């Protein structure tokens, strides 16, 4: 039996780890499709390498770059770290573009990642603010 066109087919599902509250059906809340992949990318970028005990290579080293002076070389290094981390740990996403824009006062960086989900054609846009917090 075919599904109506208005219903989106679920390709990917992940647990929403930050909110393990049961919904009205007494099931755990799930993230689906692009929301699942977006949350996975955010988790990868905000996890320091070595932070996960049973997977010490997981994550990115972008926090080390955040405390450097903002130069074109720093931004280039940050873009490369972001791209490499996502390519290594999120096989569902194909990176199209990574852009990094410093704020006027340089206390945070705006990261924009444009990617496709495998088996889908439309690009997905993900914005992340990276703060320098000591």
């Amino acid at each position: 039996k075919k599904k109506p066109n208005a219903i989106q087919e679920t390709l990917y599902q992940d647990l929403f780890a930050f909110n393990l509250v049961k919904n009205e059906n007494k099931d755990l809340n799930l993230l689906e499709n692009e929301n699942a992949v977006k949350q996975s990318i955010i988790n990868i970028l905000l996890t320091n390498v070595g932070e996960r005990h049973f997977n010490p290579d997981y994550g990115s080293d972008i926090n080390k770059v955040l405390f450097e002076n903002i130069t074109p070389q720093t931004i280039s290094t940050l873009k490369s770290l972001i791209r490499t981390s996502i390519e290594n740990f999120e096989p569902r996403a194909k990176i199209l573009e990574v852009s990094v824009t410093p704020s006027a006062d340089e206390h945070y960086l705006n990261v924009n990642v444009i990617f496709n989900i495998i088996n889908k054609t439309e690009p997905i846009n993900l914005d992340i603010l990276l703060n320098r917090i000591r």
Side-chain angles (χ1 to χ4, degrees):
K1 191 173 180 181
K2 283 192 157 192
K3 294 181 180 180
N5 290 339
I7 297 175
Q8 182 181 6
E9 184 179 348
T10 300
L11 295 175
Y12 305 110
Q13 285 185 332
D14 289 346
L15 285 174
F16 186 48
F18 298 111
N19 186 8
L20 292 178
V21 177
K22 294 179 182 177
N23 60 22
E24 62 275 354
N25 297 330
K26 301 204 181 216
D27 292 331
L28 291 176
N29 290 323
L30 297 174
L31 294 173
E32 295 181 345
N33 298 333
E34 62 265 4
N35 290 329
V37 178
K38 281 182 177 182
Q39 187 61 50
S40 175
I41 290 172
I42 291 170
N43 290 343
I44 291 165
L45 296 180
L46 298 181
T47 301
N48 296 321
V49 173
E51 194 171 330
R52 293 226 176 146
H53 297 290
F54 296 108
N55 193 356
D57 296 329
Y58 181 86
S60 69
D61 281 328
I62 62 174
N63 280 338
K64 293 178 183 176
V65 178
L66 289 179
F67 292 99
E68 300 291 327
N69 291 326
I70 303 297
T71 64
Q73 179 62 35
T74 306
I75 290 177
S76 176
T77 301
L78 189 58
K79 285 181 188 180
S80 177
L81 287 171
I82 290 169
R83 181 177 291 275
T84 303
S85 297
I86 295 170
E87 288 172 351
N88 287 342
F89 299 108
E90 185 47 80
R92 302 175 290 185
K94 180 180 180 236
I95 303 298
L96 300 175
E97 182 181 341
V98 176
S99 62
V100 177
T101 309
S103 68
D105 59 5
E106 297 186 357
H107 292 296
Y108 67 89
L109 298 170
N110 184 16
V111 174
N112 181 264
V113 179
I114 300 173
F115 63 95
N116 283 342
I117 294 179
I118 303 301
N119 299 329
K120 291 214 169 201
T121 57
E122 65 272 357
I124 298 168
N125 191 10
L126 174 63
D127 285 315
I128 305 169
L129 288 179
L130 300 177
N131 294 313
R132 294 189 204 192
I133 301 174
R134 291 189 183 232

